[in-house]
Amino acid sequence: MGTNTRFRWIITPGTDIFFVYNHNWLDNHEVNRRLITTQKGAAMKVVYTVRF
């Protein structure tokens, strides 16, 4: 099972900030059928457009 969450903030047209968070789990049949984290990560991106 996994999630992918993305937040986008548009400051002005052409200027954006993105924040992305990923989290993945694996069903562990051996230990009370619990989910264990296999991977997680975050990334941030800033886009700035110069117009003249």
Side-chain angles (χ1 to χ4, degrees):
M1 179 168 67
T3 62
N4 179 294
T5 306
R6 184 178 78 168
F7 173 74
R8 180 181 183 189
W9 180 21
I10 303 172
I11 300 169
T12 59
T15 304
D16 303 331
I17 296 175
F18 294 91
F19 179 76
V20 179
Y21 179 73
N22 294 308
H23 199 143
N24 295 312
W25 296 273
L26 180 64
D27 187 12
N28 190 354
H29 295 288
E30 298 171 0
V31 182
N32 299 330
R33 295 191 57 95
R34 292 186 147 186
L35 296 174
I36 57 172
T37 298
T38 59
Q39 181 182 25
K40 59 184 172 180
M44 185 172 151
K45 176 182 176 181
V46 178
V47 177
Y48 183 76
T49 303
V50 178
R51 299 177 187 180
F52 50 95

